[in-house]
Amino acid sequence: MDKVTKTTEDRLRQSSGGQAGASKQYKVGTRPPVVVILGHVDHGKTSILDYIRKSRVAEKETGGITQHVGAYQVLQKQQPITFLDTPGHEAFHAMRARGAHVADIALLVVAAEDGIKPQTKEAIQHIKQAAIPYIVVMNKMDKPAADAMKVKTQLLEEEVLVEGFGGTVPVVEVSAKTGAGIEELLDTILLLWEVEGTETRIEGPAKGAVIESFMDSRRGFAATLLVREGELRRQDIVATNSVSGKIKSMEDFLGRAVDVASTSMPVLVLGLQDAPEVGDKFEVFSTLEEAQAYTAEKSKKDQEGDVLDFSGDRKVLNLILKADVHGSLEAVHELVRALPSEHVILRVLFENVGDVNESDVKLASSGKAVIISFRVGVMPAAQNFAHQMGVTILSYDIIYNLVQGIREVMEEMLINEIVEVETGKLRVIALFRTEKNRMIVGGRVIEGEAKRGAHVSVMRNEEKIGEGKIIRIKIQDKDMEKVNKGDECGVLYEGGVRIEVGDVLEFFSVEKKKMTV
């Protein structure tokens, strides 16, 4: 078994344990911390992860890190730390949107020479909403323009109270390029977790979250599961909100087969019946029937929607809401909730403050949602990504226009009702000429008007025997657009039914009646 797994299992075996579980005694202990890195684009999130991975995982093993796993573990002084390998905010967004508590500690990366940027502010909001401890990582300290004091002052303006500035949030100065400060950063993570970490169940059936999923062309549906409680074993039957199945095989982040995954350990599993949603919680069940019942129940609840309940044949419009501040966001949400419609259900999949970014587009694509932004911008990368994925982003600065915009989208989803409007009747009094699909007949208009180009229903003894169309109308030798009630005329009829004297031609127009919300 690999070194990381051995170390984790040794730690668990040596734990003093405790009492846990309502019906069975399970050992408890402090699991390794799970760390997510957030911050502005180009401030070095990926570079820091890369340096940690390369410096803490054996060189011969680094190249073997399995793609799509989305997480990996490193050892710092023989203690494991799990990093979510998710540049940007994609996984963190999706997990929080689906209610999964995954990360224990966040690293807020800020470039020392660049300072606080829009996405930095967004990251701060995500961290505060997740209510997890965090560390400010001041990157690019090797740059001549690096100004740590300026960054700390800017953080203070965002209500991030760092150590030395009246607060308790640790600050670690690093350089992902030279590696300076990385050792201190890892030590700070362990120290913070020693203070903030709580005991959890480290034995028994596993619970956790999905942090990645995809379709493997050779092996089928695959998912990365992060264990939060208990132990996940090969052959376990698991279920999420969207999928269930029996684990056929498990691999660690280096692609090596494992039979048991302990707490905070990410593993790639095969055997699920489909690719689960990122952020889905998973549980272990005794039988496949129980697992499938759990998925069915969760799926049913998911489909109930956030704004209105489903009923009848109404369509569903999924929305992702972005606004400048929480007050605006709440106002937009309430207006969405108040929009009445007997034809379209509105459901808010996700909402948050800050510019529209790539993670919003990713979520909108998977959820078939429209992104509504209010008084915020759209990041260029997100705009390009939205174009590629066919995701609609609607931006507004005025609340009235926003409401009207959503109404228009709802109306576009509705199928226009085809309505036949009767315009007149003509009684046939003479037959002049009969061809294969055409007839020339004479008649008198008895109601409304007879109009050229109109559709007609052929009625015999008050029963409809067929339909056709009027190609021409004449009075004597003069072509007419229409003939009014009481007048006699000749008409060129085109259709599949033979008309007889005494039949009534009912003229009607075909109109599309626009449905409105």
Side-chain angles (χ1 to χ4, degrees):
M1 192 168 288
D2 62 274
K3 185 176 180 182
V4 173
T5 304
K6 277 186 177 179
T7 304
T8 304
E9 291 180 345
D10 289 344
R11 178 185 61 80
L12 298 180
R13 281 197 295 269
Q14 293 166 4
S15 172
S16 59
Q19 311 299 317
S23 59
K24 187 173 181 179
Q25 301 280 329
Y26 287 119
K27 182 184 289 186
V28 299
T30 304
R31 54 182 170 73
V34 177
V35 180
V36 64
I37 299 186
L38 302 174
H40 189 72
V41 65
D42 295 332
H43 276 198
K45 302 183 299 294
T46 303
S47 299
I48 291 172
L49 278 171
D50 285 345
Y51 191 93
I52 292 172
R53 184 176 65 244
K54 291 175 181 178
S55 63
R56 289 302 183 279
V57 180
E59 189 64 34
K60 63 180 180 179
E61 297 173 337
T62 304
I65 289 181
T66 303
Q67 295 297 312
H68 302 299
V69 169
Y72 62 88
Q73 281 189 320
V74 301
L75 290 176
Q76 174 67 2
K77 297 179 179 176
Q78 298 305 305
Q79 296 185 63
I81 302 174
T82 299
F83 284 92
L84 294 182
D85 192 4
T86 53
H89 303 170
E90 287 90 345
F92 200 58
H93 277 197
M95 290 168 190
R96 286 198 54 250
R98 299 183 67 83
H101 177 72
V102 178
D104 300 309
I105 294 173
L107 303 184
L108 177 63
V109 176
V110 187
E113 94 286 18
D114 210 10
I116 303 298
K117 294 295 181 181
Q119 205 172 0
T120 316
K121 297 178 181 180
E122 180 187 352
I124 292 170
Q125 291 300 320
H126 286 313
I127 293 169
K128 288 183 176 180
Q129 288 167 8
I132 58 175
Y134 61 106
I135 300 167
V136 173
V137 183
M138 212 171 295
N139 190 29
K140 303 186 181 182
M141 288 301 295
D142 55 298
K143 297 279 187 179
D147 189 341
M149 190 62 66
K150 176 184 175 182
V151 174
K152 290 179 181 179
T153 302
Q154 290 178 339
L155 287 168
L156 191 61
E157 294 172 358
E158 299 301 322
E159 298 182 353
V160 175
L161 306 179
V162 300
E163 293 176 344
F165 273 63
T168 58
V169 178
V171 179
V172 181
E173 299 177 2
V174 305
S175 168
K177 182 177 181 180
T178 67
I182 297 296
E183 185 80 14
E184 181 186 350
L185 173 59
L186 295 174
D187 285 340
T188 303
I189 291 171
L190 293 177
L191 181 61
L192 183 60
W193 189 235
E194 186 178 328
V195 174
E196 299 284 351
T198 57
E199 288 191 331
T200 188
R201 177 173 58 81
I202 59 176
E203 290 183 338
K207 289 185 177 183
V210 178
I211 58 174
E212 188 60 271
S213 68
F214 61 99
M215 176 65 178
D216 188 303
S217 59
R218 294 183 299 107
R219 302 188 295 178
F221 295 110
T224 302
L225 306 183
L226 181 67
V227 180
R228 297 291 293 176
E229 296 180 39
E231 293 177 311
L232 185 64
R233 299 176 179 275
R234 190 170 59 85
Q235 301 299 321
D236 272 349
I237 296 170
V238 301
T240 74
N241 289 13
S242 56
V243 67
S244 59
K246 186 175 184 179
I247 296 176
K248 295 178 180 178
S249 67
M250 291 198 307
E251 299 173 359
D252 67 7
F253 67 92
L254 291 171
R256 297 172 296 196
V258 293
D259 291 327
V260 182
S262 53
T263 52
S264 299
M265 183 175 175
V267 282
L268 182 69
V269 303
L270 299 171
L272 298 182
Q273 297 166 349
D274 203 342
E277 295 281 350
V278 171
D280 262 2
K281 299 175 185 177
F282 77 83
E283 293 188 27
V284 171
F285 293 83
S286 301
T287 66
L288 190 56
E289 290 73 19
E290 290 179 2
Q292 291 171 340
Y294 173 87
T295 296
E297 179 62 25
K298 289 293 184 180
S299 297
K300 181 179 178 182
K301 288 184 177 180
D302 281 350
Q303 292 170 358
E304 289 175 356
D306 178 72
V307 179
L308 294 171
D309 292 332
F310 287 80
S311 63
D313 297 324
R314 289 184 290 178
K315 294 180 176 293
V316 179
L317 173 58
N318 290 329
L319 299 174
I320 290 175
L321 306 179
K322 298 299 293 280
D324 53 347
V325 295
H326 281 284
S328 298
L329 192 63
E330 290 175 6
V332 171
H333 188 105
E334 288 305 311
L335 284 169
V336 169
R337 184 181 293 275
L339 272 174
S341 175
E342 58 183 10
H343 304 297
V344 181
I345 303 298
L346 289 174
R347 180 169 64 170
V348 177
L349 294 185
F350 177 67
E351 58 182 27
N352 214 328
V353 296
D355 289 347
V356 176
N357 53 53
E358 287 180 86
S359 63
D360 298 321
V361 177
K362 183 177 180 181
L363 191 58
S365 177
S366 63
K368 296 180 175 57
V370 173
I371 299 175
I372 304 294
S373 73
F374 183 63
R375 294 178 181 170
V376 293
V378 180
M379 301 183 72
Q383 192 74 65
N384 294 335
F385 191 30
H387 180 72
Q388 295 170 13
M389 302 302 290
V391 171
T392 300
I393 302 175
L394 302 177
S395 301
Y396 303 96
D397 291 321
I398 301 172
I399 200 74
Y400 171 79
N401 293 340
L402 182 148
V403 173
Q404 288 300 109
I406 295 177
R407 282 183 177 274
E408 289 172 5
V409 174
M410 293 166 70
E411 289 177 355
E412 287 175 5
M413 297 176 66
L414 299 177
I415 299 173
N416 292 329
E417 185 181 356
I418 304 299
V419 180
E420 295 182 358
V421 179
E422 185 178 304
T423 58
K425 293 180 181 181
L426 177 145
R427 186 179 300 279
V428 178
I429 57 178
L431 305 178
F432 297 119
R433 184 174 176 178
T434 301
E435 297 178 354
K436 184 177 180 181
N437 293 314
R438 290 189 172 191
M439 294 182 70
I440 297 176
V441 303
R444 179 181 292 108
V445 180
I446 57 176
E447 285 185 25
E449 62 183 21
K451 192 173 183 180
R452 186 177 68 181
H455 296 271
V456 293
S457 295
V458 181
M459 309 296 292
R460 183 172 298 161
N461 299 322
E462 298 184 350
E463 289 187 8
K464 182 177 176 179
I465 62 171
E467 287 189 0
K469 189 173 183 179
I470 300 303
I471 306 301
R472 297 176 71 180
I473 300 180
K474 282 189 174 185
I475 293 181
Q476 296 182 353
D477 291 327
K478 185 178 180 180
D479 283 319
M480 307 292 293
E481 277 293 324
K482 62 181 180 178
V483 177
N484 296 319
K485 180 180 177 180
D487 292 337
E488 293 184 359
C489 61
V491 298
L492 174 58
Y493 160 86
E494 184 178 74
V497 66
R498 292 296 179 93
I499 297 173
E500 297 180 0
V501 173
D503 288 348
V504 174
L505 305 184
E506 292 186 352
F507 288 68
F508 64 90
S509 61
V510 178
E511 300 178 2
K512 288 184 178 180
K513 183 179 179 182
K514 180 66 177 177
M515 297 178 69
T516 58
V517 298

